[in-house]
Structure formats: structure tokens, C-alpha cells
Amino acid sequence: VTVASTAQQIRSAIDGWRRALGAEQVIVDGSAISELLNNASGLNKPEVPAYLKARTVEDVQAVLTVAREHKVPVYPISTGKNWGLGSRIPPRAPCALLDLSALNRIREVHEKLHYAVIEPGVTQQQLADYLRERGLPLIINLTGSSPNSSVLANALERGTGFHRQRTDECRGLEVVLSDAEVVRTGFWAERTATEPHFYRHGMGPTLDGIFTQSNFGVVTAMILDLIPRPPRIALMCFAFNDDALAVVIDRLRTLYDQGILRWIAHVFNDARMNTMNTSKNPPWLAISAVMGDEDQLAYYRAQLEAKLLPLGTSLAFIGEGQVDVEGADPMITAMYDVHRGKPTWGFLHGLYHTITGAVPENYDELDQTTFGMLACLPVLPMLGETVVALRATITAICEAHSLHPAITFNPLDSTSLETVANIYFDRRDPDAVSRAHACQNELHRTLYAQGVRFYRTDVSSMDFLTDRPTGHQRTIHKIGLALDPEGIIAPGRYRPAGP
Ligand SMILES: Cc1cc2nc3c(=O)[nH]c(=O)nc-3n(C[C@H](O)[C@H](O)[C@H](O)COP(=O)(O)OP(=O)(O)OC[C@H]3O[C@@H](n4cnc5c(N)ncnc54)[C@H](O)[C@@H]3O)c2cc1C
């Protein structure tokens, strides 16, 4: 379903949105919208006739009612920092943007059952501050993105925190459908105000999954798992050489199987580390948290030393005392902070200091700088030889475009591993922009042809990766036709047009 709105329909929709939200919540000024569409990916700006600012769930219902009546689609964004994947750029245009950042209530936090009910505009910093100010013994599974990025949107995108995948932390959703009905999933649908949320599946088919990487509804709240604060956290930092990559991945797999590693590990190549510090970095560095009391930490440490050290060049365990000191390595401090639930600017700071051009005062202004960034995100089986083959293909393709990829492998558990291959470029240089885009395109096409699949994608590769004549895609399309027959929510988002 693709909506091709006419100029008259767009005018009528804008009138309707002004009546519903108030004129000051509807931006139609071309240059203001153009500024909002600047994006770190260097993508062309599509036709966005209006930028709508919702403040309540009722606003979202009204926006969708008008959109449906006049057949003008809307693309929801929570904080719009989908950096490297398109920022605020919708996959199809014309399409209005629906900004949900003002829906930023933390509706509830349950200490004993460790969850929070949050709206789209709730940021990592806001939730972390809330927990800290109340002295709650809970931490958030943070990402390395801006402290001001949305927790909920990242979970909907199936983004990855430093402990675990954000989507796995979802215990229920509140969603506005295209017909303006507000749906709460699972047992939330029949919960009384005093009952806690304690079970994620409800009864019958689970609905939460159909609203992640999806355009079936606008999510207005999520029940999010929090992590009980462990007594102690140590970072395991394990350096190794390039020729050990396969054997290290295989060894990490067995460490997950044995329950010694329990959280996502981050395995950085030197190019990735060079964006975060000025030290002389090893070819590869694997970092993962170990958590627990003294005895547990001693056990994990002994196991990791016995099983990893023979394969690498160094193994260190970093505790709180080593990061809260002057002169600490900024990358290690940033890694420690995200693991202890403290949002950090460390990763953005690192990016800004690897590029030429002015560093903005406000680190959230990445889209307004000249810094270019794309991401290619394959997911692999947790098998050493597969990881080495992928690394070789990514490197060869990037080098053919005179680019050097910053690669992070993120083992999730003993079966799968996510890859983040970042390409950085200077947006002031048209040749650099077109080389980066050609490289990104070739990465997706070549890897796909080799059987590699992707866990998340940028808006420009979405059609290529999702327009497949499989039963899976046809079923998604049938659900989409039932839930949004006019195709007014985020057309093209993880779902191609047409059957
Ligand atoms: C230095 C750096 C570090 C990063 N680290 C990480 C990391 O560790 N992990 C990671 O996953 N990413 C990371 N990123 C990528 C990105 O910045 C984050 O994923 C960020 O959280 C996404 O932006 P957002 O939360 O503002 O989401 P938005 O841009 O608001 O939304 C993301 C997507 O979800 C959809 N969406 C948003 N809200 C809704 C809603 N309420 N209903 C329906 N659909 C919705 C939007 O249409 C959009 O397609 C990093 C980026 C940089 C530059």
C-alpha cells in the first residue's frame, strides 16, 4: 500500500492537524523542515509537508484520524537520533513527521519487579536520573548513543544495549493503530491500576513483536525491564591479534554456554577503538561485564583467565576504582559507565574527535555537522570461521571504495552475534558521500548474495532487504493490510509496498 497524496489532500490534512493540535504544533515552514532533515547519513531530503508535535496519546489519535481521512501518511519519531540509519528521514515520501518527544512521562517504576512504564520521549538520561534521584537499586541497559535518545524507540528498532538486546526487555506495549484505537498488549489490556506487570506474553499470540521494526502502529508507551543493580561490576578487557579472531569467537561461545559470560560482549577492531581514544590500540579488544558479589567475580575472573589468556595478548579486569580517576582511558570509562547504568557522551565525543570540521557545543547536533556515518548491520551464527569470512568481505569491499570500516562484533549469547560495520565520511566532499553510499549499497548486496542476513537496516537499504517473495513477508503484508489498510503509518518501514 503506497499513499500518493495529492497537493489538495496535503493542504486538507495540514488544516486538520492544525485544528487538532493547535497551529504552533504544526511546522510547515520549508526551511525549518529542511534543517530537521539534515542527516548524518548524507541522504537526500524527501518531501515532508509538515512536522507535527504531539503532546498526548489523544494527540496521536487525532493525528492518525486526520492522516487517514486525507490519505497523507505520517512517520513517527521519538527523539529522531537514528544516526547512521537515516536520522529523521522517512523511507517514503511525501510523508509528515510525527514528533513524540513531548510524550515523556515515566508513568511508573516498580522496584521489586524491576520495570518502568515509559513513553516515547523518555530519554536514557531522564530514566537514569529518575532511578538515581529516588535511590532505587535498579539500572538501565544503556546504549552508546546520546544520553538524550529515546529508550523506547531504540527498543522498537531492535537496538542493542550494552547488556542485552533492548527488544527483549519489552513486557508490553501501548499502541495507537491507524483507526485511532489504543491497544495495550498482553495482560496489560485487562490490568487494574494497582496490579503489577510481571509476565510478558499474555495468553494466545504475542503481539509485542509485530510492533517492533514495524509500521503497524504508533507506540505510546512500553513496559521496560530494568536490571537490579549488582553489588559489583567489573569489565573484562581482552586484547588479541587478528589471526586469533576465529578461535576467540569460538571460545567466547563456549563461555556463554557455560554461563561464565552472561551479557553481550563488544569486540572492537582497531579502527573502531581509534574513534574513542588516542592510545596505541591492539588489533582487537573484547569487552564484557562480569557482575555479582566478590566470590562470583573471583570465579568468573579465574575462568576467563584460564580460558582466554592463552589465546590473546592481555586480559585485564577493570573495577570502579580504575575509571573514576584522572587520566583513565576515555573508552574504558565510557564502557564502564554504560555497564553501570550511567549515560555517557563518551562515544559521541570520540566520534567528534576523529573527524575534521567543527565540534558542535551540543553533541546532539550530529545531524547538523559535516560528519557522515553509515552503518551495515549483519547478524551471524556464533561461529568463528563465519565471523572471519564476514570481516574479510567487509574489509575488501570498503577498501575497494578507499574506506576503512570501524567494525564491532557483538556476541549476544552462545548462538548469535551482531555486527556493526560503520563507514565514516566527510559530508562536505561530494565524492566521499557518493563513495560511502556506493560502498554501503555494495556491502548489503554482496553480503546478502552470500547468504548473510541483517538484524536492522538504514532507510535506504530497507526495500532491498525486505522486498522478498517469502511467506514471512506475505504474512507481514496481510497483517499490515488489516491494521493499516490505507498505509498511513510510516510507509515502507521494514515492509515494502504491495503484496
Ligand atoms: C556514537 C553512537 C553510538 C550509538 N550507539 C548505539 C548503541 O549502542 N545501540 C544502538 O542500538 N544504537 C546506537 N546508535 C544508533 C542510534 O543513535 C540509536 O539507535 C538511537 O537510540 C536511535 O535514535 P532514537 O532513539 O532517537 O530513535 P528514533 O530516531 O526516534 O526512532 C528510531 C526508529 O523507530 C521508529 N519509531 C520511533 N518511535 C516510534 C514510536 N513511538 N512508534 C512507532 N515507531 C517509532 C522511527 O520511525 C524510526 O524509524 C549509536 C549512534 C551513535 C552515533
Side-chain angles (χ1 to χ4, degrees):
V1 178
T2 307
V3 180
S5 320
T6 64
Q8 180 53 47
Q9 286 170 324
I10 291 174
R11 276 195 298 277
S12 305
I14 288 172
D15 287 345
W17 287 325
R18 282 187 170 134
R19 278 194 297 276
L21 304 180
E24 65 288 358
Q25 305 303 319
V26 181
I27 299 173
V28 292
D29 174 64
S31 57
I33 291 179
S34 173
E35 183 127 336
L36 288 162
L37 295 178
N38 287 337
N39 63 90
S41 300
L43 297 174
N44 291 335
K45 299 177 186 180
E47 184 188 346
V48 169
Y51 190 91
L52 314 169
K53 296 191 275 183
R55 289 163 297 186
T56 60
V57 176
E58 291 73 28
D59 281 353
V60 175
Q61 291 175 282
V63 164
L64 294 184
T65 302
V66 171
R68 195 164 170 164
E69 183 185 348
H70 300 290
K71 298 188 170 33
V72 181
V74 294
Y75 182 67
I77 50 170
S78 288
T79 45
K81 302 184 200 304
N82 208 13
W83 292 322
L85 301 167
S87 302
R88 293 185 174 92
I89 301 291
R92 295 262 200 294
C95 185
L97 296 190
L98 173 57
D99 181 332
L100 303 164
S101 58
L103 274 81
N104 63 355
R105 277 190 313 137
I106 297 169
R107 296 189 190 168
E108 181 187 342
V109 171
H110 199 295
E111 179 182 333
K112 288 188 184 148
L113 299 179
H114 49 87
Y115 66 81
V117 181
I118 52 168
E119 295 186 347
V122 172
T123 65
Q124 306 201 91
Q125 188 69 58
Q126 182 187 349
L127 187 53
D129 287 348
Y130 182 102
L131 300 176
R132 187 178 40 77
E133 284 160 11
R134 286 161 184 76
L136 293 168
L138 300 169
I139 59 173
I140 317 166
N141 170 33
L142 291 169
T143 71
S145 189
S146 164
N148 298 325
S149 61
S150 163
V151 179
L152 177 151
N154 180 265
L156 290 184
E157 254 295 289
R158 295 206 208 110
T160 304
F162 275 82
H163 292 92
R164 55 194 183 193
Q165 285 179 302
R166 277 258 173 92
T167 308
D168 293 344
E169 305 185 310
C170 171
R171 277 189 221 179
L173 293 174
E174 178 187 270
V175 188
V176 184
L177 301 180
S178 78
D179 62 3
E181 180 177 0
V182 180
V183 175
R184 290 173 169 178
T185 61
F187 293 143
W188 195 0
E190 41 189 332
R191 171 204 188 232
T192 64
T194 53
E195 282 167 349
H197 299 284
F198 60 95
Y199 183 70
R200 74 182 74 242
H201 303 297
M203 185 178 268
T206 306
L207 289 182
D208 295 338
I210 70 166
F211 296 108
T212 61
Q213 292 192 350
S214 149
N215 57 6
F216 295 159
V218 176
V219 177
T220 48
M222 173 182 285
I223 306 162
L224 178 90
D225 277 346
L226 300 168
I227 301 171
R229 181 184 292 284
R232 290 192 53 199
I233 300 175
L235 277 192
M236 174 208 73
C237 302
F238 170 58
F240 58 96
N241 288 329
D242 203 48
D243 56 8
L245 181 58
V247 67
V248 168
I249 296 294
D250 287 330
R251 186 61 56 85
L252 293 176
R253 185 183 66 246
T254 59
L255 288 165
Y256 279 108
D257 272 337
Q258 292 161 359
I260 294 163
L261 284 179
R262 293 170 49 224
W263 307 99
I264 292 179
H266 286 70
V267 184
F268 299 110
N269 77 346
D270 49 0
R272 182 69 184 97
M273 284 178 272
N274 293 342
T275 67
M276 294 188 275
N277 64 18
T278 50
S279 315
K280 185 167 170 0
N281 287 307
W284 293 96
L285 183 70
I287 302 186
S288 187
V290 286
M291 301 187 181
D293 60 24
E294 294 282 352
D295 291 346
Q296 286 170 308
L297 256 54
Y299 172 75
Y300 292 140
R301 184 177 179 144
Q303 289 292 318
L304 290 164
E305 278 172 353
K307 293 186 172 134
L308 284 180
L309 203 46
L311 309 179
T313 52
S314 71
L315 179 65
F317 289 86
I318 310 285
E320 210 156 8
Q322 289 149 281
V323 290
D324 291 333
V325 291
E326 211 168 302
D329 180 324
M331 177 176 81
I332 300 299
T333 304
M335 289 297 287
Y336 196 88
D337 281 344
V338 282
H339 281 97
R340 64 173 150 177
K342 187 174 167 191
T344 174
W345 292 104
F347 298 94
L348 275 166
H349 178 272
L351 274 193
Y352 285 128
H353 288 276
T354 50
I355 54 166
T356 49
V359 177
E361 255 176 52
N362 176 356
Y363 279 10
D364 272 334
E365 297 294 305
L366 187 67
D367 287 325
Q368 310 303 335
T369 66
T370 56
F371 179 63
M373 169 180 164
L374 292 170
C376 173
L377 306 167
V379 59
L380 298 185
M382 187 61 183
L383 299 170
E385 62 186 25
T386 316
V387 172
V388 168
L390 180 89
R391 188 275 315 267
T393 310
I394 290 178
T395 308
I397 292 173
C398 289
E399 283 176 357
H401 293 271
S402 308
L403 291 161
H404 192 44
I407 300 177
T408 313
F409 292 119
N410 298 331
L412 302 176
D413 50 33
S414 65
T415 66
S416 60
L417 168 149
E418 293 180 349
T419 309
V420 182
N422 281 135
I423 301 168
Y424 304 129
F425 56 99
D426 184 342
R427 278 193 274 148
R428 288 171 300 191
D429 175 356
D431 172 57
V433 176
S434 63
R435 262 187 303 116
H437 286 191
C439 179
Q440 168 87 338
N441 192 25
E442 194 180 333
L443 280 172
H444 281 113
R445 280 162 204 273
T446 305
L447 293 172
Y448 191 92
Q450 291 179 357
V452 174
R453 296 298 174 258
F454 301 82
Y455 68 92
R456 185 177 170 190
T457 176
D458 65 306
V459 285
S460 62
S461 311
M462 220 164 248
D463 269 358
F464 172 71
L465 292 178
T466 58
D467 195 0
R468 303 282 155 190
T470 60
H472 179 85
Q473 286 298 347
R474 278 193 298 275
T475 307
I476 287 173
H477 193 67
K478 284 180 199 165
I479 298 171
L481 284 180
L483 293 183
D484 183 10
E486 314 284 352
I488 51 132
I489 301 174
R493 175 163 153 76
Y494 287 97
R495 177 160 70 100

